[in-house]
Amino acid sequence: MSEAIRGRRGATISLVVVCSLVMAMLVFAFFQFAMIFGGSNELRNAVDAGALNIGREAVQADSLKTTPASGDEHQFDDCLDSGGKISLMNINRVWGKAFLINANVEAMDSAGSGEGSTSSSTHGSTIFEAAQKINDRLFAILNDQSKIHPYFEKILKQNSIRMLGQKASMETLADDAWKTSLVDRDSESNITIELNQLPGGYSGLSAADTKLLDAASYIRGYRGLKANGKNFSLIPFKHKEKPHLISGKYFTDNTLAKSPFPTWTNPIPNAVSAHAKSTNQTYYQNDATAYVVANPQRQYKLSLAHAFIRIKLDGNDASWYVNGIPAASSTYGYFPEVQNKVIAFDIGSGTLTGFASLGNEYIPPTLGKAIYALPGDHGQVTTKLLQRVREIKPGFSEGNLTALLNAQPLLPGVDEYLIYPVYTTADNTDPTIMCQPAKIAAASCSWLSSGATPDGSEKKIADEAAAAFTAPNQCWETVAGTGCKPGPFWTTMQGWLYWTAGSGYDQCLGQLRIKRKTSIYLNGACTVL
Amino acid sequence: MSRRTTSRNFTGGSLIEVLCGAMFFLPIALLSLDLITVVLTNQMNDHLAKDAARAAANQQDAVHARLAAQKTIDNFLNSPVVRKVELKPGNVNFDGVNGQVAVELSMSVALPVPFPGFDSAKFTARSIEPIVGTPAAL
């Protein structure tokens, strides 16, 4: 019995010791797990931060940009950033310009328009192909993970994962987990539009293709638009959003593999995934993937930034009639002048001297007066001019146009005036519309190709007429000779305004040509005794 | 008489054994409490530094970045063991040139079971995030 009693001594203490050891091991194990999970969190946070840097730099890093190559790609020189390049930030401007030019071509070719030509149709295709080449280069850049790795690693490696070990570090995992995606389909792009910018005769974009936010209409992105038989699309960048992380499922569901976008060859992505792993860790290796959507946080207005409209004053003719028979012809300028002609009578030896006060239709001598000089239906003139100016500066009103034209004085010897934009920003936004003689405009704007001609066909868009005794130009006469007497005299006036539409290729959006004529009717007779 | 002595010696023996064992068991248990606190508050500090850096990175300038980071810390629901969370001036480094913001936080923690010379811990966490609050360069 004493042996049994002695056998039980110390049993509790050994149990306690064992339990203590077990507890110590459990605490140690908990500590290790906590370090692993904590380290895993640190890795994930670092990968998130690195991915956010991709979202930030994808729209502005120099190595993720492209420049226009030679030839027609320089039609997009007005879409470049301040460094002369194209990136995710401004590729929508490139496609917006190509779209607008093709919308012009479609309108010019539309039934009954008569404004199109072989040139304009060709230019529509040319500008589309040039935009596609720029697009393809940018697509290749953004899908080349090796170009993106440096921006990821820049932030990744500055964060620590010390919970995975004192020497633990991170490195990029260059594998097929690096993908791109087209997210936020049908959301707003960073291009605003005013529907009255679009030419009459084009109906491929309606309010349904836009989204109204903060009193501005944004063209929807990753949504096919058609113009001139071609497909266009912009990239969505949600309004007032910053680059941010998104879920893996949302990203994957919108990759091209899972959700194709057939109407756009090489569609530019707006989201990227990034993958990294831990190295030199004490415990087992961790890896993490993050998904980020980029956003330049800059908006642009749909426009043809480098473009102009020409107003050509094609001279004024004066036709002299004596007794209904054409007797002489002359020309006159844009300032009041008096001309006279001496015409011999057919019968007898008397002469008729006719006088005409011409150029009075240009009082006051402004370009606005030169366009709207005589009575007539100028509706088409205003519509065409205004719509084209709005392609340069959206929101330009009829009042603005009237003020602009009336502020430009007619200058002696000048018969061509340009309406064109002047920019103070490095990226050609927010222009001031000017109207100046062509030579002055060309001298003040290095980008302006003032000699460029519109690529459409000329069409008469307005007739003017001033009836007898109402015309601003007047005539009178004297007769000399025995038995010669003067008869009635009067003037009539006519005007014709011609519009040649331009698609915007090579800058010229159109030309308004103005021609006027004053007919001077003089009468008199001589009695032969 | 020997039987009574044996009986008295046996009675209370377990108690003594438990008490002796407890001398090992209790410190381990109490230390493990402190260890759990250290691990959890360290992770808490890391998370807070990340959140503060993320908030600062969404701002457009250094002043607003610091305010955003401070607001994140002010909104932090303090644990009873956390004595102080400190964001010193100069610990929000808003680098607009390199496009990143670094936030460094210090968290002072009172250990639930103070030992002599080991009654508190101070953690420092640093988080670097890219600045996403500014628009892309023109």
Side-chain angles (χ1 to χ4, degrees):
Chain A
M1 193 179 175
S2 61
E3 280 181 4
I5 291 168
R6 276 200 299 273
R8 290 198 291 271
R9 280 185 196 160
T12 309
I13 198 165
S14 57
L15 193 63
V16 167
V17 166
V18 166
C19 284
S20 300
L21 282 172
V22 168
M23 185 169 181
M25 283 170 58
L26 282 173
V27 168
F28 179 74
F30 162 78
F31 179 76
Q32 299 299 311
F33 277 124
M35 294 298 275
I36 290 169
F37 287 130
S40 178
N41 268 338
E42 285 180 330
L43 174 68
R44 205 170 310 121
N45 290 340
V47 169
D48 286 350
L52 279 170
N53 200 45
I54 295 174
R56 173 196 150 85
E57 295 293 344
V59 297
Q60 60 184 342
D62 221 52
S63 66
L64 300 179
K65 295 182 180 181
T66 184
T67 49
S70 59
D72 285 309
E73 290 190 24
H74 283 293
Q75 292 281 332
F76 299 107
D77 281 355
D78 53 351
C79 302
L80 307 180
D81 62 18
S82 58
K85 296 190 177 182
I86 295 165
S87 67
L88 199 53
M89 177 177 76
N90 56 352
I91 183 67
N92 276 347
R93 294 185 79 186
V94 171
W95 279 117
K97 177 169 182 173
F99 162 74
L100 198 48
I101 288 176
N102 274 276
N104 285 340
V105 172
E106 181 174 319
M108 287 156 69
D109 286 344
S110 64
S113 163
E115 291 182 346
S117 70
T118 312
S119 279
S120 57
S121 297
T122 305
H123 290 157
S125 297
T126 305
I127 202 81
F128 178 87
E129 285 156 17
Q132 187 65 54
K133 284 182 187 167
I134 294 172
N135 177 98
D136 291 347
R137 287 203 300 279
L138 191 61
F139 175 85
I141 288 169
L142 294 173
N143 281 281
D144 181 354
Q145 58 173 283
S146 67
K147 287 196 162 27
I148 296 172
H149 287 171
Y151 303 102
F152 176 62
E153 288 168 355
K154 179 188 165 193
I155 299 293
L156 177 82
K157 293 192 172 181
Q158 290 189 70
N159 285 290
S160 84
I161 49 168
R162 61 179 189 270
M163 292 184 87
L164 289 179
Q166 282 298 317
K167 293 182 185 173
S169 61
M170 294 169 279
E171 65 180 37
T172 306
L173 252 181
D175 58 8
D176 59 5
W178 286 78
K179 293 189 197 311
T180 57
S181 184
L182 284 60
V183 302
D184 296 335
R185 298 190 189 197
D186 222 36
S187 293
E188 64 278 17
S189 68
N190 62 343
I191 302 290
T192 62
I193 185 174
E194 296 189 26
L195 290 178
N196 62 15
Q197 288 182 263
L198 297 173
Y202 172 74
S203 57
L205 190 155
S206 67
D209 297 305
T210 67
K211 194 169 179 183
L212 185 64
L213 293 161
D214 285 346
S217 290
Y218 290 82
I219 301 175
R220 293 177 185 270
Y222 291 145
R223 180 186 176 109
L225 298 171
K226 250 186 145 60
N228 195 27
K230 297 166 183 51
N231 292 307
F232 296 84
S233 189
L234 303 181
I235 304 157
F237 295 116
K238 281 191 162 181
H239 188 53
K240 291 188 177 173
E241 277 195 6
K242 302 177 174 67
H244 62 276
L245 300 171
I246 53 177
S247 73
K249 183 176 185 321
Y250 184 55
F251 180 93
T252 308
D253 285 348
N254 284 286
T255 54
L256 275 180
K258 263 205 161 181
S259 188
F261 196 79
T263 57
W264 189 354
T265 307
N266 295 331
I268 303 288
N270 61 356
V272 179
S273 62
H275 195 199
K277 66 176 182 182
S278 61
T279 59
N280 299 322
Q281 65 282 334
T282 307
Y283 311 103
Y284 74 91
Q285 191 176 74
N286 277 259
D287 70 293
T289 308
Y291 309 87
V292 65
V293 60
N295 195 315
Q297 302 176 76
R298 286 209 180 272
Q299 294 77 42
Y300 300 101
K301 296 179 181 178
L302 180 73
S303 70
L304 304 180
H306 283 178
F308 66 88
I309 299 140
R310 181 184 290 107
I311 296 170
K312 188 176 175 66
L313 305 178
D314 200 21
N316 307 294
D317 294 335
S319 297
W320 303 75
Y321 298 84
V322 174
N323 297 328
I325 298 168
S329 63
S330 62
T331 61
Y332 61 98
Y334 295 89
F335 299 90
E337 61 183 88
V338 174
Q339 293 183 7
N340 66 283
K341 298 285 179 201
V342 179
I343 299 134
F345 284 110
D346 287 338
I347 299 172
S349 57
T351 58
L352 182 149
T353 303
F355 298 87
S357 171
L358 303 168
N360 300 304
E361 67 269 44
Y362 301 110
I363 296 172
T366 66
L367 187 61
K369 187 63 178 171
I371 295 171
Y372 300 96
L374 296 177
D377 183 1
H378 296 95
Q380 281 281 298
V381 175
T382 306
T383 300
K384 300 282 185 196
L385 284 177
L386 193 55
Q387 184 272 320
R388 281 308 203 253
V389 175
R390 283 173 174 157
E391 290 195 11
I392 303 171
K393 183 178 174 105
F396 201 74
S397 69
E398 189 173 336
N400 295 143
L401 181 64
T402 304
L404 181 75
L405 295 173
N406 289 339
Q408 174 56 44
L410 293 176
L411 299 172
V414 176
D415 60 3
E416 278 194 9
Y417 296 82
L418 302 186
I419 299 174
Y420 64 101
V422 167
Y423 297 97
T424 52
T425 55
D427 61 347
N428 298 317
T429 53
D430 198 24
T432 301
I433 300 296
M434 305 283 287
C435 181
Q436 291 281 348
K439 285 185 179 166
I440 293 176
S444 66
C445 281
S446 57
W447 58 264
L448 220 164
S449 303
S450 60
T453 54
D455 51 6
S457 300
E458 190 177 67
K459 185 181 165 186
K460 187 170 67 171
I461 58 171
D463 286 294
E464 297 173 323
F469 309 110
T470 65
N473 291 340
Q474 302 292 316
C475 66
W476 62 97
E477 63 183 35
T478 59
V479 297
T482 308
C484 294
K485 289 182 182 176
F489 47 86
W490 67 89
T491 59
T492 61
M493 296 181 71
Q494 288 169 288
W496 303 272
L497 289 91
Y498 301 88
W499 172 253
T500 310
S503 63
Y505 182 90
D506 270 349
Q507 301 182 5
C508 188
L509 273 172
Q511 173 176 286
L512 180 69
R513 183 171 69 89
I514 304 159
K515 185 79 181 169
R516 293 203 171 88
K517 174 182 165 183
T518 300
S519 299
I520 303 153
Y521 294 92
L522 305 165
N523 291 280
C526 291
T527 309
V528 175
L529 296 173
Chain B
M1 189 170 174
S2 63
R3 197 181 294 169
R4 283 201 299 274
T5 304
T6 305
S7 184
R8 275 202 301 275
N9 286 342
F10 184 69
T11 303
S14 296
L15 178 65
I16 290 168
E17 286 169 8
V18 167
L19 286 173
C20 289
M23 284 171 59
F24 295 99
F25 187 80
L26 266 174
I28 293 171
L30 295 174
L31 257 175
S32 66
L33 253 179
D34 282 347
L35 195 63
I36 291 167
T37 304
V38 161
V39 169
L40 291 179
T41 49
N42 183 47
Q43 287 191 13
M44 206 187 302
N45 194 31
D46 279 350
H47 277 300
L48 188 57
K50 182 210 83 176
D51 289 346
R54 201 61 76 80
N58 274 276
Q59 307 306 315
Q60 296 203 1
D61 55 61
V63 170
H64 288 95
R66 183 172 171 81
L67 288 171
Q70 188 61 54
K71 191 173 178 186
T72 305
I73 291 158
D74 294 341
N75 288 340
F76 169 63
L77 290 172
N78 250 335
S79 164
V81 298
V82 176
R83 275 186 192 155
K84 190 178 171 186
V85 179
E86 203 176 2
L87 181 69
K88 286 185 185 166
N91 280 4
V92 177
N93 184 9
F94 188 91
D95 184 354
V97 172
N98 288 313
Q100 62 187 53
V101 62
V103 169
E104 191 167 304
L105 279 186
S106 298
M107 183 181 276
S108 301
V109 170
L111 295 174
V113 183
F115 283 87
F118 189 58
D119 62 347
S120 67
K122 190 173 183 185
F123 305 106
T124 303
R126 193 161 188 266
S127 181
I128 294 163
E129 294 278 337
I131 295 170
V132 294
T134 52
L138 272 182

